[in-house]
Amino acid sequence: MPHQPTPTHSVAIVGDGQMGLVLASILAASPAPPAITLWGHDPDEISRLAQSRKSPRLNGVELPDSIRVTDDPAAALAGASMLVNAVPTQFIRSVWTRLAHHCPHGAPVVSVAKGIENDTLLRPLQVITDVLRDDPDRAARPMLVLSGPTIAAELGRCLPATMIAASDNTHLAGAVQQLFTTSWLRIYTSDDPLGVEVAGAMKNVIAIAAGIIDGLQAGYNAKSALLARGLSEIVRLGAAMGARTETFFGLAGVGDLATTCFSPEGRNRSLGEALGKGETLDAYLKRTNSVVEGVATTRSVVQLAQRFNVDLPITAAVHAVLFEQLDPIDAIAQLMNRPPREEAVG
Protein backbone atom coordinates (compact mmCIF):
# COMPACT_ATOMS: atom_id res chain seq x y z
CA MET A 1 0.00 0.00 0.00
CA PRO A 2 1.45 3.41 -0.93
CA HIS A 3 2.39 5.73 1.91
CA GLN A 4 -0.18 8.46 2.54
CA PRO A 5 1.09 11.96 3.38
CA THR A 6 0.42 13.14 6.93
CA PRO A 7 -2.25 15.88 7.05
CA THR A 8 -0.99 19.38 7.82
CA HIS A 9 -2.99 20.95 10.63
CA SER A 10 -1.52 24.43 10.87
CA VAL A 11 0.23 26.52 8.21
CA ALA A 12 2.11 29.76 8.81
CA ILE A 13 2.62 31.87 5.68
CA VAL A 14 5.53 34.29 5.96
CA GLY A 15 4.92 37.30 3.71
CA ASP A 16 1.77 39.27 2.87
CA GLY A 17 2.62 39.99 -0.77
CA GLN A 18 0.66 38.66 -3.73
CA MET A 19 1.69 35.01 -3.42
CA GLY A 20 1.25 34.98 0.35
CA LEU A 21 -2.29 36.30 -0.02
CA VAL A 22 -3.12 33.86 -2.82
CA LEU A 23 -1.75 30.81 -1.02
CA ALA A 24 -3.67 31.70 2.14
CA SER A 25 -6.87 31.97 0.10
CA ILE A 26 -6.21 28.66 -1.66
CA LEU A 27 -5.71 26.82 1.62
CA ALA A 28 -8.78 28.40 3.19
CA ALA A 29 -10.95 27.20 0.31
CA SER A 30 -9.89 23.56 0.57
CA PRO A 31 -12.45 20.95 1.75
CA ALA A 32 -10.56 20.41 5.02
CA PRO A 33 -8.60 23.63 5.54
CA PRO A 34 -5.79 23.75 8.08
CA ALA A 35 -5.46 26.57 10.58
CA ILE A 36 -3.86 29.42 8.58
CA THR A 37 -1.82 32.34 9.84
CA LEU A 38 -0.47 35.07 7.56
CA TRP A 39 2.49 37.10 8.86
CA GLY A 40 3.64 40.47 7.55
CA HIS A 41 6.43 42.73 8.77
CA ASP A 42 4.63 46.09 8.63
CA PRO A 43 2.26 46.61 11.61
CA ASP A 44 0.21 49.29 9.82
CA GLU A 45 -0.31 47.22 6.67
CA ILE A 46 -1.15 44.14 8.70
CA SER A 47 -3.64 46.08 10.81
CA ARG A 48 -5.43 47.33 7.68
CA LEU A 49 -5.42 43.83 6.18
CA ALA A 50 -6.81 42.32 9.38
CA GLN A 51 -9.68 44.80 9.39
CA SER A 52 -10.55 45.03 5.68
CA ARG A 53 -9.45 41.50 4.67
CA LYS A 54 -8.26 43.12 1.41
CA SER A 55 -4.88 44.30 0.13
CA PRO A 56 -4.04 46.83 -2.58
CA ARG A 57 -1.33 44.41 -3.64
CA LEU A 58 -3.88 41.97 -5.05
CA ASN A 59 -7.21 43.37 -6.19
CA GLY A 60 -10.20 41.07 -6.13
CA VAL A 61 -8.98 38.80 -3.33
CA GLU A 62 -10.67 38.97 0.06
CA LEU A 63 -9.23 36.87 2.87
CA PRO A 64 -11.76 34.71 4.72
CA ASP A 65 -12.25 35.52 8.40
CA SER A 66 -10.78 32.13 9.27
CA ILE A 67 -7.27 33.33 8.30
CA ARG A 68 -5.44 34.90 11.20
CA VAL A 69 -3.34 37.94 10.24
CA THR A 70 -0.52 39.17 12.47
CA ASP A 71 2.83 40.97 12.60
CA ASP A 72 3.90 39.06 15.73
CA PRO A 73 6.48 36.37 14.80
CA ALA A 74 5.82 34.29 17.92
CA ALA A 75 2.07 34.30 17.40
CA ALA A 76 2.40 33.56 13.67
CA LEU A 77 4.68 30.55 13.95
CA ALA A 78 3.57 29.00 17.24
CA GLY A 79 2.42 25.43 16.72
CA ALA A 80 2.72 25.57 12.91
CA SER A 81 3.19 22.17 11.26
CA MET A 82 4.32 23.82 7.98
CA LEU A 83 6.07 27.14 7.25
CA VAL A 84 5.61 28.83 3.86
CA ASN A 85 8.13 31.41 2.66
CA ALA A 86 6.44 34.01 0.45
CA VAL A 87 9.09 36.71 0.95
CA PRO A 88 11.00 38.10 -2.08
CA THR A 89 14.46 36.57 -2.36
CA GLN A 90 16.54 39.61 -1.42
CA PHE A 91 14.58 39.99 1.85
CA ILE A 92 14.56 36.32 2.92
CA ARG A 93 17.71 36.54 5.03
CA SER A 94 16.61 39.53 7.11
CA VAL A 95 13.06 38.24 7.61
CA TRP A 96 14.01 34.70 8.54
CA THR A 97 16.77 35.92 10.85
CA ARG A 98 14.00 37.73 12.72
CA LEU A 99 11.81 34.60 12.75
CA ALA A 100 14.48 31.96 13.40
CA HIS A 101 13.99 31.64 17.16
CA HIS A 102 10.25 31.16 16.71
CA CYS A 103 10.37 28.33 14.13
CA PRO A 104 8.67 25.20 15.49
CA HIS A 105 10.96 22.19 15.77
CA GLY A 106 10.94 20.02 12.66
CA ALA A 107 8.30 22.03 10.78
CA PRO A 108 9.04 21.77 7.03
CA VAL A 109 9.62 24.91 4.97
CA VAL A 110 7.92 25.48 1.61
CA SER A 111 9.25 28.39 -0.47
CA VAL A 112 7.57 30.16 -3.40
CA ALA A 113 10.33 32.77 -3.83
CA LYS A 114 12.06 33.03 -7.22
CA GLY A 115 15.55 34.50 -7.38
CA ILE A 116 19.21 34.25 -6.41
CA GLU A 117 20.53 36.17 -3.41
CA ASN A 118 23.05 38.87 -4.28
CA ASP A 119 26.63 38.40 -3.03
CA THR A 120 26.14 34.86 -1.65
CA LEU A 121 24.58 33.54 -4.90
CA LEU A 122 22.38 31.24 -2.81
CA ARG A 123 18.95 30.05 -3.89
CA PRO A 124 15.95 30.77 -1.60
CA LEU A 125 15.95 27.38 0.13
CA GLN A 126 19.70 27.67 0.64
CA VAL A 127 19.29 31.10 2.23
CA ILE A 128 16.71 29.78 4.69
CA THR A 129 18.90 26.79 5.49
CA ASP A 130 21.83 29.14 6.08
CA VAL A 131 19.78 31.34 8.41
CA LEU A 132 18.62 28.30 10.37
CA ARG A 133 22.11 26.76 10.50
CA ASP A 134 22.19 26.91 14.32
CA ASP A 135 18.82 25.18 14.56
CA PRO A 136 19.37 21.76 16.20
CA ASP A 137 16.68 20.35 13.91
CA ARG A 138 18.19 21.82 10.74
CA ALA A 139 19.27 18.47 9.29
CA ALA A 140 15.83 17.00 9.98
CA ARG A 141 13.84 19.97 8.68
CA PRO A 142 12.65 19.11 5.14
CA MET A 143 12.54 21.84 2.48
CA LEU A 144 10.47 22.23 -0.69
CA VAL A 145 10.10 24.73 -3.50
CA LEU A 146 6.61 25.33 -4.91
CA SER A 147 6.85 26.93 -8.33
CA GLY A 148 5.52 27.00 -11.87
CA PRO A 149 3.56 29.25 -14.25
CA THR A 150 1.60 31.14 -11.61
CA ILE A 151 0.65 34.77 -12.14
CA ALA A 152 -0.79 35.68 -8.73
CA ALA A 153 -3.68 37.75 -10.11
CA GLU A 154 -4.89 34.75 -12.14
CA LEU A 155 -4.61 32.45 -9.14
CA GLY A 156 -6.65 34.99 -7.20
CA ARG A 157 -9.41 34.67 -9.82
CA CYS A 158 -9.31 30.86 -9.55
CA LEU A 159 -8.32 30.41 -13.18
CA PRO A 160 -6.95 26.93 -14.08
CA ALA A 161 -3.28 26.56 -13.17
CA THR A 162 -0.56 24.06 -12.36
CA MET A 163 2.43 24.10 -10.01
CA ILE A 164 5.39 21.88 -9.23
CA ALA A 165 6.29 20.80 -5.69
CA ALA A 166 9.99 19.89 -5.70
CA SER A 167 11.87 18.39 -2.79
CA ASP A 168 14.46 15.78 -1.91
CA ASN A 169 11.86 14.58 0.60
CA THR A 170 9.16 12.67 -1.27
CA HIS A 171 6.95 12.55 1.83
CA LEU A 172 6.88 16.36 1.99
CA ALA A 173 6.27 16.65 -1.76
CA GLY A 174 3.25 14.38 -1.44
CA ALA A 175 1.92 16.31 1.55
CA VAL A 176 2.20 19.65 -0.27
CA GLN A 177 0.61 18.16 -3.38
CA GLN A 178 -2.34 16.98 -1.30
CA LEU A 179 -2.60 20.23 0.66
CA PHE A 180 -2.62 22.72 -2.24
CA THR A 181 -4.53 20.76 -4.89
CA THR A 182 -7.95 22.22 -5.72
CA SER A 183 -10.49 21.80 -8.51
CA TRP A 184 -8.64 24.52 -10.47
CA LEU A 185 -5.03 24.11 -9.22
CA ARG A 186 -3.17 20.90 -10.08
CA ILE A 187 0.10 20.12 -8.29
CA TYR A 188 2.82 17.87 -9.73
CA THR A 189 5.82 16.61 -7.75
CA SER A 190 9.54 16.58 -8.54
CA ASP A 191 12.74 15.57 -6.78
CA ASP A 192 14.85 18.30 -8.46
CA PRO A 193 14.50 21.40 -6.26
CA LEU A 194 17.79 22.76 -7.61
CA GLY A 195 16.50 22.78 -11.17
CA VAL A 196 13.15 24.26 -10.18
CA GLU A 197 14.78 27.11 -8.24
CA VAL A 198 17.25 27.88 -11.04
CA ALA A 199 14.42 27.95 -13.58
CA GLY A 200 12.29 30.20 -11.38
CA ALA A 201 15.14 32.67 -10.97
CA MET A 202 16.37 32.82 -14.54
CA LYS A 203 12.96 33.10 -16.20
CA ASN A 204 12.62 36.54 -14.62
CA VAL A 205 15.81 37.70 -16.34
CA ILE A 206 14.62 36.44 -19.72
CA ALA A 207 11.23 38.06 -19.11
CA ILE A 208 12.90 41.47 -18.82
CA ALA A 209 14.41 40.86 -22.26
CA ALA A 210 11.00 39.80 -23.59
CA GLY A 211 9.49 43.01 -22.29
CA ILE A 212 12.21 45.05 -23.98
CA ILE A 213 11.24 43.43 -27.28
CA ASP A 214 7.60 44.37 -26.61
CA GLY A 215 8.58 47.94 -25.80
CA LEU A 216 10.60 48.23 -28.99
CA GLN A 217 7.78 46.59 -30.98
CA ALA A 218 10.33 44.19 -32.42
CA GLY A 219 7.68 41.61 -33.26
CA TYR A 220 6.64 38.06 -32.41
CA ASN A 221 9.42 36.47 -34.45
CA ALA A 222 11.99 38.18 -32.26
CA LYS A 223 10.12 37.35 -29.07
CA SER A 224 9.73 33.67 -29.93
CA ALA A 225 13.40 33.45 -30.80
CA LEU A 226 14.23 35.11 -27.48
CA LEU A 227 12.20 32.54 -25.54
CA ALA A 228 13.89 29.65 -27.33
CA ARG A 229 17.40 31.02 -26.84
CA GLY A 230 16.56 32.16 -23.32
CA LEU A 231 15.48 28.62 -22.45
CA SER A 232 18.81 27.43 -23.81
CA GLU A 233 20.59 29.73 -21.33
CA ILE A 234 18.49 28.43 -18.45
CA VAL A 235 19.31 24.84 -19.41
CA ARG A 236 23.00 25.65 -19.82
CA LEU A 237 23.44 27.21 -16.39
CA GLY A 238 21.15 24.76 -14.62
CA ALA A 239 22.98 21.73 -16.03
CA ALA A 240 26.33 23.24 -15.05
CA MET A 241 25.05 23.65 -11.50
CA GLY A 242 23.92 20.01 -11.33
CA ALA A 243 20.22 20.19 -12.18
CA ARG A 244 18.47 17.71 -14.45
CA THR A 245 17.93 18.95 -18.01
CA GLU A 246 14.39 17.60 -18.27
CA THR A 247 13.27 19.85 -15.42
CA PHE A 248 13.68 22.88 -17.69
CA PHE A 249 11.32 21.47 -20.31
CA GLY A 250 8.47 21.12 -17.81
CA LEU A 251 6.26 23.43 -15.77
CA ALA A 252 9.07 25.07 -13.82
CA GLY A 253 11.07 25.78 -16.97
CA VAL A 254 9.39 26.43 -20.29
CA GLY A 255 5.94 26.67 -18.67
CA ASP A 256 6.88 29.43 -16.22
CA LEU A 257 9.07 31.13 -18.82
CA ALA A 258 6.23 31.44 -21.32
CA THR A 259 3.77 32.78 -18.75
CA THR A 260 6.19 35.39 -17.42
CA CYS A 261 7.25 36.56 -20.87
CA PHE A 262 3.73 36.94 -22.30
CA SER A 263 1.48 37.93 -19.41
CA PRO A 264 0.73 41.68 -19.28
CA GLU A 265 0.60 41.29 -15.49
CA GLY A 266 4.17 39.96 -15.24
CA ARG A 267 6.33 42.42 -13.31
CA ASN A 268 9.59 41.62 -15.04
CA ARG A 269 8.11 41.76 -18.53
CA SER A 270 6.44 45.06 -17.69
CA LEU A 271 9.75 46.51 -16.53
CA GLY A 272 11.39 45.40 -19.76
CA GLU A 273 8.61 46.96 -21.81
CA ALA A 274 9.13 50.29 -20.03
CA LEU A 275 12.86 50.11 -20.71
CA GLY A 276 12.19 49.38 -24.38
CA LYS A 277 10.02 52.49 -24.54
CA GLY A 278 12.81 54.63 -23.14
CA GLU A 279 12.04 54.79 -19.42
CA THR A 280 14.98 54.47 -17.03
CA LEU A 281 15.29 51.67 -14.50
CA ASP A 282 15.25 54.07 -11.56
CA ALA A 283 12.15 55.87 -12.82
CA TYR A 284 10.25 52.61 -13.27
CA LEU A 285 11.18 51.20 -9.86
CA LYS A 286 10.11 54.45 -8.16
CA ARG A 287 6.61 54.27 -9.64
CA THR A 288 5.90 50.60 -9.00
CA ASN A 289 4.69 49.17 -5.71
CA SER A 290 5.98 45.69 -6.49
CA VAL A 291 9.35 44.01 -6.10
CA VAL A 292 10.79 43.24 -9.55
CA GLU A 293 12.84 40.15 -8.71
CA GLY A 294 14.60 39.93 -12.06
CA VAL A 295 16.62 43.10 -11.48
CA ALA A 296 18.63 41.82 -8.52
CA THR A 297 18.64 38.29 -9.93
CA THR A 298 20.34 39.49 -13.12
CA ARG A 299 23.37 40.57 -11.07
CA SER A 300 23.54 37.17 -9.39
CA VAL A 301 23.08 35.14 -12.58
CA VAL A 302 25.92 36.99 -14.32
CA GLN A 303 28.17 36.05 -11.40
CA LEU A 304 26.98 32.43 -11.49
CA ALA A 305 27.77 32.32 -15.22
CA GLN A 306 31.30 33.41 -14.45
CA ARG A 307 31.62 30.89 -11.61
CA PHE A 308 30.45 27.98 -13.76
CA ASN A 309 32.05 29.25 -16.97
CA VAL A 310 28.91 29.26 -19.09
CA ASP A 311 28.00 31.69 -21.88
CA LEU A 312 24.73 33.57 -21.29
CA PRO A 313 24.56 36.30 -23.96
CA ILE A 314 20.93 37.31 -23.36
CA THR A 315 21.51 37.57 -19.62
CA ALA A 316 24.65 39.61 -20.23
CA ALA A 317 22.70 41.95 -22.52
CA VAL A 318 19.98 42.44 -19.90
CA HIS A 319 22.66 43.21 -17.32
CA ALA A 320 24.21 45.80 -19.63
CA VAL A 321 20.84 47.49 -20.21
CA LEU A 322 20.00 47.54 -16.49
CA PHE A 323 23.34 48.54 -15.03
CA GLU A 324 25.69 49.70 -17.80
CA GLN A 325 23.46 52.20 -19.65
CA LEU A 326 23.42 50.12 -22.84
CA ASP A 327 20.61 51.24 -25.14
CA PRO A 328 18.08 48.39 -25.65
CA ILE A 329 18.31 48.80 -29.44
CA ASP A 330 22.08 48.38 -29.27
CA ALA A 331 21.65 45.32 -27.04
CA ILE A 332 19.51 43.63 -29.69
CA ALA A 333 21.99 44.61 -32.40
CA GLN A 334 24.83 43.04 -30.44
CA LEU A 335 22.89 39.79 -30.02
CA MET A 336 21.96 39.67 -33.70
CA ASN A 337 25.55 40.26 -34.77
CA ARG A 338 27.05 37.40 -32.76
CA PRO A 339 29.04 34.94 -34.93
CA PRO A 340 26.82 32.35 -36.69
CA ARG A 341 26.76 28.89 -35.13
CA GLU A 342 24.85 25.64 -35.01
CA GLU A 343 21.81 25.68 -32.76
CA ALA A 344 22.35 24.00 -29.40
CA VAL A 345 19.95 23.79 -26.48
CA GLY A 346 22.07 23.85 -23.36
Side-chain angles (χ1 to χ4, degrees):
M1 177 179 295
H3 182 74
Q4 295 298 316
T6 301
T8 299
H9 302 291
S10 177
V11 178
I13 299 176
V14 177
D16 61 339
Q18 289 188 338
M19 283 303 295
L21 294 165
V22 162
L23 293 177
S25 297
I26 290 171
L27 291 178
S30 64
I36 307 161
T37 301
L38 180 66
W39 178 89
H41 76 283
D42 188 306
D44 292 335
E45 288 189 14
I46 285 297
S47 177
R48 289 192 292 270
L49 179 61
Q51 293 176 29
S52 70
R53 315 305 293 180
K54 298 178 182 179
S55 171
R57 300 184 185 188
L58 193 61
N59 294 327
V61 171
E62 183 172 345
L63 294 182
D65 292 336
S66 60
I67 299 174
R68 184 171 58 154
V69 179
T70 181
D71 67 323
D72 182 347
L77 273 59
S81 52
M82 180 177 290
L83 310 176
V84 177
N85 171 65
V87 177
T89 301
Q90 306 307 323
F91 299 98
I92 290 175
R93 185 172 297 275
S94 60
V95 167
W96 282 84
T97 296
R98 179 179 174 186
L99 302 181
H101 296 300
H102 304 287
C103 291
H105 295 306
V109 175
V110 175
S111 177
V112 294
K114 297 176 180 180
I116 304 291
E117 188 179 46
N118 289 158
D119 300 324
T120 66
L121 306 186
L122 296 178
R123 305 183 309 278
L125 290 182
Q126 291 179 308
V127 177
I128 297 171
T129 299
D130 188 44
V131 171
L132 301 180
R133 61 185 177 277
D134 295 328
D135 179 357
D137 290 335
R138 178 170 62 97
R141 187 187 298 279
M143 299 271 185
L144 179 142
V145 54
L146 185 62
S147 189
T150 47
I151 296 294
E154 292 190 10
L155 292 178
R157 297 194 296 272
C158 299
L159 299 179
T162 55
M163 299 184 79
I164 190 92
S167 176
D168 296 327
N169 186 303
T170 57
H171 176 71
L172 175 59
V176 169
Q177 181 181 50
Q178 176 177 279
L179 184 64
F180 285 92
T181 292
T182 71
S183 61
W184 52 270
L185 179 61
R186 181 174 174 83
I187 309 294
Y188 291 84
T189 61
S190 166
D191 61 357
D192 185 20
L194 165 59
V196 171
E197 285 198 304
V198 170
M202 281 201 67
K203 62 94 182 181
N204 284 334
V205 179
I206 305 304
I208 294 175
I212 289 173
I213 285 178
D214 288 341
L216 292 173
Q217 297 185 328
Y220 291 115
N221 290 339
K223 193 168 183 179
S224 295
L226 174 83
L227 263 67
R229 299 315 302 159
L231 178 61
S232 178
E233 293 194 13
I234 296 173
V235 173
R236 198 176 306 145
L237 179 61
M241 294 175 67
R244 291 204 305 271
T245 299
E246 57 265 31
T247 296
F248 303 110
F249 294 92
L251 293 173
V254 68
D256 203 2
L257 178 65
T259 293
T260 307
C261 289
F262 281 101
S263 171
E265 297 174 294
R267 302 171 187 176
N268 297 281
R269 191 215 61 82
S270 296
L271 164 64
E273 183 176 17
L275 296 175
K277 291 179 177 178
E279 189 170 359
T280 66
L281 174 62
D282 288 343
Y284 182 86
L285 294 180
K286 285 179 181 177
R287 71 175 175 86
T288 183
N289 294 322
S290 302
V291 175
V292 186
E293 287 271 34
V295 175
T297 298
T298 299
R299 291 188 186 274
S300 297
V301 172
V302 165
Q303 291 180 273
L304 283 173
Q306 294 170 348
R307 174 182 293 182
F308 289 94
N309 193 31
V310 294
D311 183 30
L312 306 179
I314 296 173
T315 300
V318 171
H319 186 277
V321 170
L322 292 175
F323 307 117
E324 301 166 24
Q325 288 73 56
L326 179 65
D327 188 286
I329 293 178
D330 293 334
I332 291 180
Q334 290 179 11
L335 290 171
M336 293 300 292
N337 288 319
R338 282 166 53 83
R341 51 170 290 182
E342 181 180 0
E343 182 185 29
V345 179

